[in-house]
């Protein structure tokens, strides 16, 4: 079966894209723990960070550095958690390297839980973020 995130990069599966460059692709998580929850992935498939190149690891973090402020501004967050589940034992479900950027508001509960925004809400969030990034 083709990799889910490679299919998203190829445009075979739709997504709420917020950023793309030569090496990195970023889109909203469909089960966000907070508004603006974004997945940042390398365009070159690797099962996890260690299986990929150091170059891609640098590009990923550089993209996080670039887009996280726009995400925070778009959703009115005060900070964010940056996460990566590395390996099945760590809770990795999709075997294509990805960072989670999870925006946080000051008074939000400490423990994240998945939310279920509508398609329209996800479209609106992605548009707000893209407007700031561009
Ligand atoms: P992991 O547990 O592997 O770190 O996280 C995988 C993430 O991918 C989950 O947060 C899940 O909500 C998200 N996800 C799973 N399938 C899809 C999909 O088809 N599209 C998008 N945008 N996100 C997905
Ligand atoms: Zn892949």
């Amino acid at each position: 079966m083709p990799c889910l995130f490679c299919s998203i990069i190829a445009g075979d599966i739709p997504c709420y894209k917020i950023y793309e460059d030569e090496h990195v692709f970023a889109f909203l998580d469909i089960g966000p723990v907070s508004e603006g929850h974004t997945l940042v992935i390398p365009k070159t498939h690797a099962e996890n960070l260690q299986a990929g190149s150091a170059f891609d690891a640098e590009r990923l973090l550089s993209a996080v550095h670039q887009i996280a402020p726009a995400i925070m501004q778009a959703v009115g967050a005060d900070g964010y958690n940056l996460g990566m589940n590395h390996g099945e034992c760590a809770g990795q479900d999709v075997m294509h390297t990805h960072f989670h950027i999870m925006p946080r508001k000051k008074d939000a509960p400490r423990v994240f839980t998945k939310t279920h925004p509508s398609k329209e809400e996800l479209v609106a969030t992605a548009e707000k973020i893209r407007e700031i990034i561009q």
Side-chain angles (χ1 to χ4, degrees):
M1 209 163 90
C3 167
L4 172 63
F5 286 175
C6 283
S7 299
I8 287 177
I9 293 167
D12 296 334
I13 292 177
C15 74
Y16 306 94
K17 181 167 108 176
I18 65 156
Y19 174 80
E20 179 175 13
D21 64 29
E22 199 184 337
H23 304 288
V24 174
F25 194 92
F27 55 105
L28 294 182
D29 193 301
I30 43 159
V33 296
S34 60
E35 189 190 5
H37 180 171
T38 296
L39 301 174
V40 186
I41 69 177
K43 284 188 169 173
T44 302
H45 177 87
E47 185 165 314
N48 56 49
L49 193 69
Q50 302 311 134
S53 64
F55 176 82
D56 269 348
E58 285 167 18
R59 296 317 308 154
L60 278 181
L61 199 54
S62 178
V64 169
H65 181 264
Q66 184 182 341
I67 68 180
I71 295 170
M72 283 198 291
Q73 189 186 331
V75 303
D78 303 295
Y80 64 90
N81 289 94
L82 180 63
M84 176 175 282
N85 300 321
H86 190 288
E88 251 180 77
C89 63
Q92 184 178 359
D93 288 328
V94 179
M95 295 300 159
H96 180 128
T97 312
H98 52 282
F99 274 119
H100 294 256
I101 301 176
M102 296 165 281
R104 274 230 183 242
K105 294 185 182 169
K106 279 202 291 286
D107 302 324
R110 287 308 300 168
V111 178
F112 278 132
T113 47
K114 273 196 187 275
T115 61
H116 304 281
S118 65
K119 186 176 175 214
E120 291 71 27
E121 287 170 322
L122 288 166
V123 167
T125 299
E127 270 172 14
K128 278 192 291 187
I129 297 169
R130 279 199 307 268
E131 267 169 30
I132 295 170
I133 288 176
Q134 279 149 22

